Amino acid sequence: MEIILSPSLLAADFGKLAEQIKEAEKAGAKFLHLDVMDGIFVPNISFGLPVIEALRKYTDMVFDVHLMITEPERYIERFIDAGADIVTFHAEATEKIDECIEIIHNRKKKAGLAISPKTPADVVYPYLSKLDMVLCMTVEPGYGGQKYMPDMEPKIAAVREKAGKDMLLEVDGGIGAKNIMAPVNAGANVIVAGTAVFGGKISENVTEILKTCGQL
Ligand code: DX5
Ligand code: ZN
């Protein structure tokens, strides 16, 4: 199975973003994970539309935009205009899940539905036939550098079982070369890594992670 690495920009040096994403891309990362936080759905604020739009010019990586914002239906179109290829929003953040998926698909982009650790797997089941990706958080959303929660693995396995082999199943939080095989063995195939990629030498970190999961 192909495992895709999606480095999370949240852990990068914000003074050298373009340079750093180029390094991750050259080393073999195919997606770029962009964490948008509004200070309401999660306590933290990160970055938004202008940063994504500016970075679009520097890379052809797939922009994997993780919206941690309340009522994402208000902003989805604008994130697509800014350059998002995959738009993932939280099931806990909206009452309009079907509408969000529709907005994304009308613009021919991929739709992802995210669930936080306390949200059970079955919340995503009614939408699986329409979704391109499910994101199972392996930390509480809001901050990089937290500890991976192994107790999410049964949930990852349950989603994989229901969703079938073609679904993109992403995991996010606390993952690096040391523990990547745990969520992969549970059924994940898109792996977010922030600190494990941008904390230290980026190209070496990407190479090590991709080798560990048999992609190099
Ligand atoms: C947390 C974010 C993650 C975070 C991952 O809310 O969704 O994408 O940046 O960072 P690490 O890999 O450092 O846990
Ligand atoms: Zn994320």
Side-chain angles (χ1 to χ4, degrees):
M1 184 171 60
E2 189 191 9
I3 310 295
I4 297 164
L5 177 63
S6 191
S8 166
L9 204 66
L10 201 59
D13 177 344
F14 279 49
K16 308 185 207 164
L17 288 180
E19 199 181 301
Q20 293 193 313
I21 62 179
K22 275 275 157 217
E23 186 175 344
E25 183 177 22
K26 271 199 202 123
K30 296 202 174 128
F31 286 12
L32 183 67
H33 188 81
L34 297 148
D35 287 303
V36 178
M37 302 179 185
D38 66 354
I40 298 171
F41 179 67
V42 289
N44 199 9
I45 295 178
S46 56
F47 53 80
L49 294 159
V51 172
I52 294 174
E53 201 177 350
L55 291 175
R56 190 66 281 184
K57 297 192 268 297
Y58 293 97
T59 174
D60 293 324
M61 287 165 110
V62 171
F63 274 15
D64 166 29
V65 175
H66 177 192
L67 295 179
M68 284 163 274
I69 66 175
T70 199
E71 295 174 8
E73 58 274 13
R74 297 175 298 150
Y75 285 100
I76 286 171
E77 289 260 17
R78 293 180 61 192
F79 280 98
I80 292 170
D81 293 339
D85 298 298
I86 304 173
V87 180
T88 299
F89 58 95
H90 271 261
E92 306 86 0
T94 179
E95 312 222 302
K96 299 180 177 168
I97 294 178
D98 281 310
E99 193 179 304
C100 289
I101 297 171
E102 212 169 290
I103 301 170
I104 300 164
H105 282 163
N106 282 342
R107 296 286 305 271
K108 310 267 182 282
K109 303 297 176 189
K110 288 195 159 87
L113 185 59
I115 47 175
S116 295
K118 291 187 196 76
T119 304
D122 58 13
V123 168
V124 305
Y125 295 168
Y127 307 99
L128 285 176
S129 63
K130 296 183 185 175
L131 289 168
D132 303 287
M133 185 161 91
V134 174
L135 164 54
C136 288
M137 291 303 299
T138 49
V139 297
E140 282 299 335
Y143 298 92
Q146 302 182 77
K147 204 171 158 319
Y148 173 75
M149 298 166 71
D151 47 330
M152 293 298 114
E153 286 157 22
K155 183 158 98 177
I156 297 162
V159 173
R160 172 56 75 201
E161 166 88 36
K162 273 270 181 209
K165 64 172 177 35
D166 294 330
M167 179 71 70
L168 295 172
L169 177 43
E170 183 171 58
V171 283
D172 182 7
I175 302 167
K178 279 190 286 298
N179 59 359
I180 187 172
M181 288 316 289
V184 166
N185 288 335
N189 61 350
V190 181
I191 312 296
V192 177
T195 313
V197 168
F198 291 103
K201 184 85 183 83
I202 298 163
S203 54
E204 282 171 17
N205 290 341
V206 168
T207 304
E208 193 194 357
I209 293 169
L210 290 175
K211 272 192 181 152
T212 309
C213 61
Q215 303 300 301
L216 285 178

